[in-house]
Amino acid sequence: MCRNIRTLHNFEPPATTDEVDAAALQYVRKISGAARPSQANAEAFERAVAAVAAATRELLDGLTTTAPPKDREVEAAKARARAELRYAR
């Protein structure tokens, strides 16, 4: 599950709301142990996702760096190359 949480800091263009929400959802799924909550827990689950997304956005907005922004395509190519090595048969 957590493999879907990606680094969101220092990219050009900056992380989108969808990326932040997806990371928050994956985090809450992981710590709750449920990909989909029961009806009884759905409201608490959604509140947690919203709170984690807000905290993530606040963190990303407050971080600074002197490193040049990373390129999403280059980072994706690096990840594919690592996966190719990891899963080579």
Side-chain angles (χ1 to χ4, degrees):
M1 241 187 278
C2 280
R3 281 186 218 119
N4 293 332
I5 298 177
R6 303 286 182 224
T7 300
L8 300 177
H9 175 60
N10 198 28
F11 279 99
E12 191 57 45
T16 64
T17 301
D18 288 342
E19 289 172 315
V20 171
D21 290 345
L25 177 61
Q26 288 299 317
Y27 177 78
V28 172
R29 283 178 173 172
K30 182 65 176 184
I31 62 170
S32 71
R36 277 184 257 149
S38 65
Q39 287 181 341
N41 295 324
E43 186 179 327
F45 191 90
E46 291 303 318
R47 276 196 319 266
V49 170
V52 170
T56 301
R57 178 54 62 198
E58 183 178 337
L59 172 65
L60 292 174
D61 290 346
L63 292 175
T64 61
T65 184
T66 58
K70 295 179 266 186
D71 183 282
R72 292 181 192 287
E73 293 303 317
V74 171
E75 295 301 315
K78 287 180 190 176
R80 282 191 297 275
R82 285 190 305 268
E84 214 172 272
L85 290 173
R86 182 182 302 133
Y87 301 114
R89 295 178 190 216

